Amino acid sequence: MAKEKTLEDLFHDTLKDIYYAERKILKALPKMARAASSPELKAAFEKHKDETEGHVDRLQQVFELMGKRPQGKTCDAIEGIISEGEEIIETFKGTAAIDAGLISSAQAVEHYEITRYGTLKRWAEILGMAEASKLLDQTLGEESMTDKALTGLADASANEMARAA
């Protein structure tokens, strides 16, 4: 008979998922920065790469709080989102629409991360893992701010440039 799975098992499994995703995102951000035409968007991707390194560090701390080794598991969702982003780069590179496309891809990543971090934070609270909840909440806040900043860049110029061309 299979061992009964608990919320702690689900928390750990989801933690491995987002750990994999964050490390994958770290590799994708420099490609996105190179593909961006606007200096502001390039800078936003570079800033978020630095933040993402901090997200990985925090996740490692959460693993340690659980007494577990930091380890990822393949995240099909982030693989698909990043693949779509690479397709946008290929299809729209050198056009007026590239920045709008990159922003849409980056926001798909952010929205995925926001759902994961929100869930993990809540589960940490339920499991009585106050320190883990605090670490996850810090990252959740940064992901939400990045999403807002991307919307600002889209509204300030990228969407209009794509439309006008």
Side-chain angles (χ1 to χ4, degrees):
M1 192 162 133
K3 177 188 174 266
E4 184 66 30
K5 297 287 186 177
T6 66
L7 184 60
E8 187 172 339
D9 295 323
L10 190 56
F11 179 87
H12 184 232
D13 193 63
T14 305
L15 193 64
K16 290 192 284 189
D17 177 272
I18 195 66
Y19 185 67
Y20 176 94
E22 289 286 22
R23 293 177 57 178
K24 202 71 176 168
I25 292 161
L26 268 177
K27 292 178 184 163
L29 282 165
K31 293 176 195 167
M32 294 175 81
R34 283 191 301 275
S37 64
S38 133
E40 294 84 8
L41 185 55
K42 284 180 189 293
F45 287 143
E46 289 162 4
K47 176 184 178 209
H48 196 58
K49 182 182 180 289
D50 293 341
E51 286 178 348
T52 302
E53 289 168 353
H55 301 167
V56 170
D57 289 343
R58 280 189 215 115
L59 288 170
Q60 289 170 343
Q61 290 175 53
V62 174
F63 278 109
E64 288 171 23
L65 289 168
M66 294 183 72
K68 307 274 186 188
R69 177 176 67 81
Q71 151 188 8
K73 81 165 199 172
T74 302
C75 172
D76 293 330
I78 209 66
E79 290 285 349
I81 293 169
I82 288 174
S83 176
E84 287 178 3
E86 289 169 349
E87 187 178 321
I88 284 175
I89 291 171
E90 233 176 81
T91 305
F92 293 92
K93 189 169 187 158
T95 73
I98 187 63
D99 286 352
L102 287 168
I103 290 169
S104 74
S105 295
Q107 286 190 294
V109 169
E110 293 310 309
H111 293 181
Y112 178 75
E113 291 177 302
I114 289 166
T115 62
R116 282 293 183 228
Y117 282 109
T119 297
L120 284 166
K121 175 192 167 200
R122 185 67 188 125
W123 287 346
E125 290 168 355
I126 291 167
L127 293 167
M129 302 169 66
E131 185 62 29
S133 175
K134 210 162 98 180
L135 291 165
L136 295 164
D137 186 55
Q138 188 176 349
T139 299
L140 178 61
E142 289 174 1
E143 300 293 13
S144 295
M145 292 304 294
T146 296
D147 181 50
K148 285 183 177 97
L150 288 167
T151 296
L153 288 171
D155 289 346
S157 63
N159 290 341
E160 190 54 37
M161 285 180 67
R163 186 181 76 82

